[in-house]
Amino acid sequence: MAFDGVLIHYLIKELNLQIQNKRISKVLSLNEHEYVFVVGKTKLLISINPNNPHIRLSELDFINSNTYLTPFLKKHIEGGIIVNISQYHNDRFIIINILNNDDLGYQKQYQFILELTGKNTNLIITDENNIILEAVKKTSLTDKRLIQVKANYEFLESGKVNPFTYDGDFNNNIFEGVSTLLFSEITYQNSVHKVINQPVIPTIIKTATKTLFYIFDLSYLEGERIHFDSISSMLEYYFVNTVHEVIHNNEQKRLSDFIHRELNKLKNKLNKQTVELQEAHEALGLEQTANILAANIHLVKPRQEEITCFDFYENKEITIKLNPKIKPNENINLYFNK
């Protein structure tokens, strides 16, 4: 995904200019993956959806809901001041430092940590001593890193180098927070610092196969371009329009697949019921045969193999096969049982 460490590096600068030292008047819990801080006249949307983890300023209207974290956020985060927003190294970790008063009126600092790392994306809240107070995804003692209330929080280390401070050669992507999309541009221009230190021009690029976004205009890509005044406005456009369209198309495909599966089930069911209906008609005929035989049983002689008698259902003669090895009246039960 293009929401990498370099993008976050510049996005944080934009966010601090807009909402640093401002009060969170309200916290909205949209669902288990999305939360909104209402800050003045703007809103900070935080998404830890594994498919599209990101953070942006938004002008949209949101509907509040209740989640597992709602009571905690209302008690500890709502009403707090955003002291600053920072990034851990150049990785996809964002720390929102919030200052708020506790129940006794004493000031307390919280760290709202976003780990925007794809399927392992998480939201973790700690105190000023890095002690975990709450988290969306918790782990157990058997996992590589313990995420539990009262445990000490530790950042994951990428083992890569920070591109903003690295000044050596490279043959592959050894850089922390550099996505494949950005590294392709670095390779194309054969320069790390020239690429990552250029002026920010938030751009959506519509190629022949997909729609991409980045904070720079990636020259190696061909396609239609849309430029934006801010990173947040670009992200808003992308996630509201492009991603919504993709999700809509995926929903259509899922619906179509569901309908085809249900149709196949119903066709199979219809075939089985057609056979059952035919068998029912045959069974009804056997019942009628049994009734005709019962009405004429006095005419049947022992060891007789068949009898021709009047069919009062069809108003015609009918020949009924008999089992000569059993008694005449037992042939009636034989037809009823069938």
Side-chain angles (χ1 to χ4, degrees):
M1 182 181 174
F3 199 88
D4 60 12
V6 174
L7 185 150
I8 290 171
H9 174 89
Y10 287 100
L11 176 61
I12 283 174
K13 292 182 179 181
E14 180 180 293
L15 295 179
N16 277 319
L17 285 172
Q18 294 287 327
I19 60 176
Q20 187 176 20
N21 296 322
K22 292 189 177 180
R23 185 177 300 278
I24 302 169
S25 60
K26 195 170 185 180
V27 177
L28 306 178
S29 301
L30 309 185
N31 51 60
E32 292 181 354
H33 292 136
E34 293 180 315
Y35 302 87
V36 173
F37 291 172
V38 180
V39 185
K41 295 182 179 180
T42 189
K43 306 177 188 77
L44 180 66
L45 173 66
I46 297 163
S47 175
I48 56 168
N49 186 318
N51 295 321
N52 295 296
H54 72 285
I55 180 172
R56 73 177 192 263
L57 294 177
S58 176
E59 297 181 357
L60 301 176
D61 293 324
F62 300 98
I63 299 175
N64 193 22
S65 183
N66 286 315
T67 67
Y68 164 74
L69 273 185
T70 299
F72 182 93
L73 297 175
K74 290 288 184 182
K75 181 178 180 180
H76 300 282
I77 303 301
E78 192 168 273
I81 302 293
I82 297 176
V83 178
N84 76 295
I85 304 173
S86 59
Q87 178 184 21
Y88 183 71
H89 295 168
N90 192 56
D91 214 338
R92 291 171 292 172
F93 299 147
I94 299 175
I95 306 103
I96 306 174
N97 288 297
I98 300 169
L99 192 65
N100 206 356
N101 295 328
D102 62 16
D103 295 336
L104 299 176
Y106 292 104
Q107 283 193 335
K108 187 169 182 179
Q109 187 163 311
Y110 299 91
Q111 293 186 119
F112 205 84
I113 303 170
L114 305 174
E115 298 183 343
L116 305 179
T117 53
K119 67 178 181 179
N120 296 317
T121 291
N122 203 355
L123 189 164
I124 302 161
I125 305 164
T126 75
D127 63 13
E128 64 273 18
N129 298 314
N130 289 328
I131 301 301
I132 297 173
L133 303 175
E134 196 50 272
V136 171
K137 297 177 184 177
K138 297 182 175 71
T139 63
S140 63
L141 290 170
T142 58
D143 292 303
K144 293 181 179 179
R145 188 176 57 143
L146 181 64
I147 302 294
Q148 284 290 341
V149 173
K150 296 184 179 180
N152 186 62
Y153 174 79
E154 294 180 355
F155 284 100
L156 284 169
E157 300 294 339
S158 68
K160 294 188 175 184
V161 297
N162 190 329
F164 288 98
T165 58
Y166 183 74
D167 197 26
D169 297 327
F170 64 92
N171 294 317
N172 47 43
N173 192 355
I174 60 172
F175 303 111
E176 183 178 53
V178 172
S179 61
T180 302
L181 189 72
L182 178 58
F183 187 70
S184 296
E185 180 70 10
I186 290 171
T187 304
Y188 181 76
Q189 296 197 31
N190 195 30
S191 174
V192 179
H193 294 288
K194 179 182 177 182
V195 172
I196 66 174
N197 290 302
Q198 64 181 300
V200 172
I201 306 175
T203 306
I204 285 179
I205 305 172
K206 297 182 178 181
T207 70
T209 56
K210 60 179 68 174
T211 300
L212 305 166
F213 70 87
Y214 207 68
I215 53 173
F216 309 129
D217 188 349
L218 305 175
S219 56
Y220 79 96
L221 289 173
E222 293 184 0
E224 177 189 348
R225 281 155 167 77
I226 307 175
H227 301 296
F228 296 84
D229 295 331
S230 68
I231 301 172
S232 284
S233 60
M234 174 192 69
L235 295 173
E236 182 109 297
Y237 181 94
Y238 179 81
F239 286 108
V240 171
N241 295 286
T242 305
V243 173
H244 176 76
E245 182 180 343
V246 171
I247 292 173
H248 179 69
N249 291 339
N250 289 339
E251 287 295 334
Q252 284 186 319
K253 185 178 185 303
R254 280 194 288 271
L255 180 60
S256 177
D257 291 342
F258 172 79
I259 291 172
H260 283 302
R261 286 196 302 272
E262 291 302 308
L263 280 173
N264 288 332
K265 288 180 184 176
L266 291 172
K267 286 176 182 177
N268 292 333
K269 187 175 182 180
L270 180 61
N271 291 334
K272 291 179 181 178
Q273 290 185 331
T274 301
V275 173
E276 291 173 0
L277 181 62
Q278 181 62 34
E279 292 174 347
H281 281 305
E282 293 175 358
L284 182 61
L286 292 171
E287 181 186 15
Q288 293 175 352
T289 299
N291 288 331
I292 296 169
L293 181 60
N296 295 276
I297 194 65
H298 61 283
L299 301 175
V300 179
K301 298 178 181 179
R303 292 184 293 281
Q304 190 171 342
E305 294 185 353
E306 62 180 32
I307 181 175
T308 299
C309 50
F310 181 71
D311 181 354
F312 41 79
Y313 291 101
E314 300 291 337
N315 197 26
K316 63 180 182 180
E317 292 290 319
I318 183 176
T319 299
I320 301 173
K321 297 290 183 180
L322 302 172
N323 185 347
K325 296 180 181 180
I326 60 177
K327 296 178 181 180
N329 61 343
E330 290 179 354
N331 276 278
I332 300 173
N333 291 332
L334 183 66
Y335 278 101
F336 274 126
N337 290 336
K338 287 182 179 180

